[in-house]
Every structure is written in structure tokens, then in C-alpha cells.
Amino acid sequence: IELIRPRLIMCVGRVSATTLLGRDDSLKNLRERFHDFHGIPLAVTYHPAALLRNPQWKYPTWDDVRMVRARYDELVAQVSA
């Protein structure tokens, strides 16, 4: 991550989120907002395999993706300004 220096991170699944954030929390509590990962905004959503088992999570996942896209658009606008 240090080499790539991303401006935004999206974790798919609880394992990736809890590993990067260093805390053991439920996916429900980690979703729908950005967390700080060493100064980088980090969002969390459901793992694609979980969506196959629980189709009702597709709409909440789409909301998470739209939230990340909005932040991405903000970051791009800042760079081009």
C-alpha cells in the first residue's frame, strides 16, 4: 500500500477490513462510512461470495459502491483543479 499510495481503498469483506483497520468489528458496524487508514479513506462492503449467499445485500452493496464513487469523483476534482 505504501508503494502504490492509493487515494482511496475499498475493502470487500470483513477479513480485509478488520485486518487493515486492526479491530474486530462486525461488517454491519464497518459499512456505510469511511474509516481512516493512515490518512487514506477506507470503505467497507460485503464480499462478492456473500452476495451469492445473501442476494438481499446487493442493494446495500450498491449503496457502498456509490458512496465510494462519489468520494472518488471528489478526489479527481481536487487533483484537476
Side-chain angles (χ1 to χ4, degrees):
I1 292 176
E2 284 183 27
L3 291 173
I4 297 170
R5 295 174 44 191
R7 309 251 340 238
L8 186 61
I9 297 173
M10 184 168 195
C11 290
V12 288
R14 183 177 174 274
V15 173
S16 63
T18 57
T19 299
L20 288 181
L21 294 173
R23 62 188 228 210
D24 190 27
D25 211 343
S26 71
L27 198 59
K28 181 180 179 181
N29 291 333
L30 295 172
R31 288 186 52 254
E32 299 180 322
R33 60 192 165 101
F34 285 98
H35 304 270
D36 180 66
F37 178 74
H38 303 285
I40 303 168
L42 181 143
V44 180
T45 194
Y46 296 105
H47 191 280
L51 300 179
L52 295 174
R53 293 188 305 271
N54 303 287
Q56 72 274 14
W57 291 347
K58 288 182 181 180
Y59 286 113
T61 301
W62 181 240
D63 290 338
D64 295 337
V65 172
R66 291 187 326 180
M67 178 185 74
V68 169
R69 179 56 195 244
R71 177 66 64 95
Y72 171 81
D73 290 342
E74 291 173 11
L75 292 170
V76 169
Q78 290 174 0
V79 170
S80 60

